[in-house]
Amino acid sequence: MVERVLAVRGPRSLLRQIREVMSAGGPAQGRLDKVVRIIANSMVAEVCSIYLRRASGEMELFATEGLDPSAVHVTRLRTGEGLVGEILRLGRPLNLSDAPLHPSFSYRPETGEDPFHAFLGVPLLRGGRPIGALVVQNRTARIYGEEEVEDLQTVAMVIAEIVASGELVGLAELKDVELAPHRPERLKGVRFAEGLALGKAVLHDTPVAPEKLLADDAALEEVRLRDNLEKLRAQIDEMLEGHHVVGVSYEVLETYRMFAHDRGWTRGLEEAVRSGLTAEAAVERVRSEHRARLGQARDAYLRERLHDFEDLADRLLRVLAGETPGSRKLPDDAILIARNLGPAELLEYDRTKLKGLLLEEGSAASHAAIVARALGIPCVGRLQGLRDRVSEGDPVVVDGETGEAYLRPRADVVESFQARAAVRAGRRAEFARLRDTPAITQDGDKISLLMNAGLAVDLDNLEETGAEGIGLFRTEFQFMVAEEMPRLDAQTALYTRVLDAAGGRPVIFRTLDLGGDKVLPYMQAEREDNPALGWRAVRMGLDRPALLRLQLRALISAARGRELHVMFPLVATVEEFRTARALVDQELAWAHRRGRASPSSLRVGAMIEAPALIWHLDALLPMTDFVSVGTNDLMQYLFAADRGNARVSDRYDCLSPPALRVLKTIGDACRDTGTPVSVCGEIAGRSLEAFALIALGFDRLSMPPAGIGPVKRMVLSTDREAAIRGMAPLLKSGGGSVRNEIETLARKLNVAL
C-alpha cells in the first residue's frame, strides 16, 4: 500500500512541475528542455526525449535530456523508421530491455545513444492520432515496471494536449507539425443519396473537450468518476427499458451496458484518475489508447468494439459535463460527420442548414439514408476512418454522384465542384420546366409519377416536383420524432394537413410500420434476435388493435368527404389482410353510428413485401382495392440479405433475373385481376431501375421527391414497346445481374438516363 501511495504521489508531483514550467516565461525551446529534464529526474532515467511528427510524416527530435543536444531538430526518422516509428505504428508503449537488439532499431550516431540499452517509449496521442512520442532510456538493461509505463503514459497525454494548445511550444514553431489532419484527402465510399454539397464539418455528438487536465484532489476525483459512471449505467438501463430510445437497436444498447460495466475499461479510468488526471482527461486518455490499439485491427469485430467504446466515452463525457442529449445548433452550410445515424437522429438537425451527410458505416437501404434522400440531403457512407481524418470546422465536399468525400479540398477540387453544381442546377431547371408536363412515353403510354413522404416538410415538394400525388406516406415518422404517443387530435391534424396540401391528388397512407430498427422512445420493446423478421408493421398493429384503430379513426376523421387510401405494411398472409381490413370496417361503422363525417370513398390496400404473398396473389388481390410493391423489404427478404448490414446489402442486385421475374409475376397478376399496382421502393426513383420497371409493365411509380424530375425525363424519351421487347430475353438470363445489359438497351433506345 505504501509503495502505491508513493507511486501516485510521484506522477502528481511531476505533473505539477510541468504545469509550473508551462506557466513560466522564456523561450519555447528552453521550456521544452526543462520538461524533458524534469521527466528524466522523476523517472530516474538517464535519457528523456520528445519527438514530434512533421506534416511530411517524419518524426523530429524536438528536445532531449541525455542525448547529444546538437541532434535536436537535426535527427529525423522517416515514417515507420526506428523504434519511434514502431511506437507510432503500434499506437502503444514499447518497453525493451535491450533496444539495439530490436529489429526496428535505427542507429543515429549524432544522438550519442550508444551506451543506452533499456528503452521505454509511449505515443503522444491527440484524438487517437499519434502526433509524436515520449521516450526514456537507461544504460542498464531492464524492463520498466507497469507503474512506470502508466506514469509515462499519463505524462504523455498531458504533454500532447499542451503541445497542441501552444502552451509549451508556440504554435508558430509548430506550423509544420501535424497536430491534426490538415492535408487534402479524398475518401472513396458508397453513394447513399445523390447530390453535391460543400460546407463545414460538424461532428455528430462531439464529445465535450476537457478544459482541466489535472485534478486538485485525486481521491475526490475518483469519487466523482464513480458517481458519474453510476449515472451513465443508470441512463443505459433506462434506455434498455424503452424510455429514451429513438432509432437505436436494443442490441447496441445491450452492448453499451456490457461495456459500461466492463472491468478493464473502468479500471483504466480509475487508474488514470489516481495518477492525477481529471475524470474527463482520464476518459480521453483511455479513449486514445483504444483508438490507437483497436483502430488498426483487421478483425471487423475488434473494430466494432472500438466504436462501442467511442460511443460510451462520448456519453460519459456528457454525463460528467451535466449535459443531456438533444438537438444541436448548426452553422450555415453544415456537413454532418458521423459513424452512423438513425432516422430520428438525423431529423433532430435543422434541415435548412444541413447541406450534406458523411458516414463511416451504414447502407444505402438504411433508414437514415432513406430519410436523407427524402430530405434531398447528399449522403456518402462507408468512409473508413472518417472520424479520425476530419476535425470540426474543416471544409468538406460531399460528392453524392461518385460516392466520394473530399476533406480540406484543394482549390481546383472546389472549382470543379462548383462547375458540376452549376450543371446540376441547370438540370434542376430543366426538371422544373418539365414539372407540368405529363409523363407519357414516346409511344403514348401514361406513367403516373408519385412521391414518397413522411414529414410535414415534405408536402412543399408536391408543387415543386409536379408529382401527381403521394404514393406512400410513412405515418410512423410522426411517432418517431415525438416525445410521447401522438394523441387522436394530433394524428388527425397531420393527416388533414397532408390531404389539404395534396389538393385532391391521391394520398396513400401506410399505417404504422414500427418495430425492427424503428423503435419508439415511449413504448416498451422486447429484444429480438432478428428484428427485421420479428414483431413489426401490421403484426404489431394486429396484436395491439387499440393502437391501429386509433390511427384508422384519425385517418377516417381527417378525410371528411374526401377519398381515403389506407395501406397495410408487411402483410405476409391473406388472413392478416382480412383481419386488418375488418378493423377499417369497424372504425368506419363507428364513425357512421355517431354521425361523424366520413370519406367519400375508402380504398384499402396491401404492401407486397413478404415473398410468401407472391404465391397467394390469386387469393389476396380480389380482396384488395390496390397493392403497392415495397421493393426495399421485398428484396432483402428475397435474397436473405439484411439491407442495413453493409457486409451483405450490396451482394444482390434488384436488376437481376430473380428480382425482375418476381416483379413481373406481381405486375402480370395485377393486370389479370384489374388491381391497381404501384412500386414505391427506392428503385422507383432511379432512372435506370425505373426504366426496367416500365419495361416490366408497371405504370405507377412512387419515389423520393428528387427522383421525379430525372424519371420523368427518362419516361418522355422511352419507347415502351421497344423496351418491353428488349427486356424479355434478359429475364431468361442464367447469369447474375443484368444491369449492364439493361443500361446498354436504354442507350440503344436513346433513353435519357
Side-chain angles (χ1 to χ4, degrees), residues 24 33 47 132 164 280 319 325 350 420 425 460 478 641 659 683 686 694 722 726:
D33 293 340
V47 173
E280 290 85 353
V319 172
D350 183 349
R420 290 170 58 202
D460 297 337
Q478 180 192 23
I683 66 172
R686 299 197 288 263
I694 291 172

Side-chain angles (χ1 to χ4, degrees), residues 711-729:
V711 171
K712 180 178 287 189
R713 185 179 65 163
M714 178 275 296
V715 170
L716 293 171
S717 65
T718 297
D719 181 330
R720 189 179 198 181
E721 284 302 319
I724 291 173
R725 289 194 301 271
M727 178 67 74

Side-chain angles (χ1 to χ4, degrees), residues 150-172:
E150 181 184 319
D151 291 346
L152 196 63
Q153 284 181 294
T154 300
V155 173
M157 186 254 182
V158 174
I159 288 178
E161 290 299 323
I162 61 180
V163 166
S165 68
E167 294 180 71
L168 190 58
V169 182
L171 290 177

Side-chain angles (χ1 to χ4, degrees), residues 126-451:
R126 191 163 189 271
R129 294 182 292 267
I131 64 170
L134 176 62
V135 174
V136 293
Q137 295 171 268
N138 284 90
R139 294 174 186 267
T140 304
R142 73 179 184 93
I143 291 291
Y144 292 88
E146 289 184 9
E147 291 183 358
E148 292 174 299
V149 175
E150 181 184 319
D151 291 346
L152 196 63
Q153 284 181 294
T154 300
V155 173
M157 186 254 182
V158 174
I159 288 178
E161 290 299 323
I162 61 180
V163 166
S165 68
E167 294 180 71
L168 190 58
V169 182
L171 290 177
E173 299 173 61
L174 296 174
K175 63 181 180 180
D176 193 35
V177 175
E178 191 172 32
L179 301 177
H182 68 279
R183 289 173 290 180
E185 288 191 67
R186 180 179 72 90
L187 303 183
K188 180 64 178 175
V190 176
R191 178 184 67 192
F192 286 0
E194 288 190 3
L196 299 172
L198 170 64
K200 296 178 181 178
V202 174
L203 303 183
H204 176 62
D205 282 342
T206 305
V208 181
E211 296 180 359
K212 186 177 180 182
L213 300 176
L214 306 179
D216 296 324
D217 187 316
L220 289 177
E221 194 67 13
E222 187 172 354
V223 172
R224 176 172 172 259
L225 172 68
R226 288 177 177 171
D227 288 346
N228 282 281
L229 276 171
E230 288 305 314
K231 290 180 183 178
L232 170 69
R233 291 163 181 159
Q235 279 187 8
I236 295 171
D237 288 341
E238 272 191 75
M239 286 192 296
L240 278 167
E241 293 168 5
H243 296 304
H244 296 294
V245 181
V246 179
V248 181
S249 73
Y250 277 83
E251 186 175 346
V252 171
L253 295 179
E254 286 278 17
T255 305
Y256 275 158
R257 178 156 69 178
M258 180 180 71
F259 279 101
H261 290 271
D262 181 76
R263 291 183 180 180
W265 185 66
T266 304
R267 185 169 56 249
L269 293 171
E270 291 174 346
E271 289 177 353
V273 167
R274 288 171 190 155
S275 71
L277 298 180
T278 61
E280 290 85 353
V283 173
E284 288 294 352
R285 172 181 149 178
V286 174
R287 178 215 295 276
S288 288
E289 291 170 0
H290 278 108
R291 279 180 179 172
R293 185 168 65 253
L294 299 181
Q296 301 177 35
R298 294 183 179 180
D299 186 84
Y301 177 81
L302 290 178
R303 289 196 300 270
E304 287 300 320
R305 300 293 69 75
L306 169 61
H307 294 165
D308 295 334
F309 279 120
E310 284 275 359
D311 292 338
L312 200 58
D314 288 347
R315 187 171 291 275
L316 179 54
L317 284 173
R318 289 195 293 274
V319 172
L320 286 164
E323 295 184 5
T324 54
S327 59
R328 288 184 54 198
K329 294 183 178 179
L330 293 178
D332 293 334
D333 301 326
I335 305 295
L336 188 61
I337 310 293
R339 275 188 300 278
N340 212 339
L341 283 177
E345 291 176 299
L346 182 56
L347 294 174
E348 290 179 354
Y349 290 92
D350 183 349
R351 67 173 297 201
T352 64
K353 295 183 177 181
L354 182 59
K355 304 303 180 184
L357 175 62
L358 295 177
L359 301 173
E360 276 196 11
E361 304 169 357
S363 157
S366 67
H367 286 98
I370 290 173
V371 171
R373 288 193 288 273
L375 297 178
I377 299 172
C379 177
V380 176
R382 298 204 214 152
L383 297 163
Q384 289 190 357
L386 172 67
R387 284 284 296 269
D388 287 338
R389 296 185 182 188
V390 65
S391 300
E392 186 90 7
D394 278 353
V396 174
V397 166
V398 180
D399 192 333
E401 293 181 345
T402 63
E404 295 174 313
Y406 293 85
L407 313 180
R408 302 166 295 277
R410 301 189 311 269
D412 60 323
V413 173
V414 174
E415 289 178 11
S416 173
F417 161 82
Q418 291 170 337
R420 290 170 58 202
V423 172
R424 284 185 65 88
R427 198 179 302 159
R428 285 196 299 271
E430 178 188 355
F431 298 154
R433 289 192 296 272
L434 295 176
R435 183 185 63 182
D436 299 324
T437 302
I440 299 175
T441 64
Q442 291 283 307
D443 47 346
D445 280 1
K446 173 71 171 64
I447 307 297
S448 295
L449 303 183
L450 305 101
M451 62 171 252

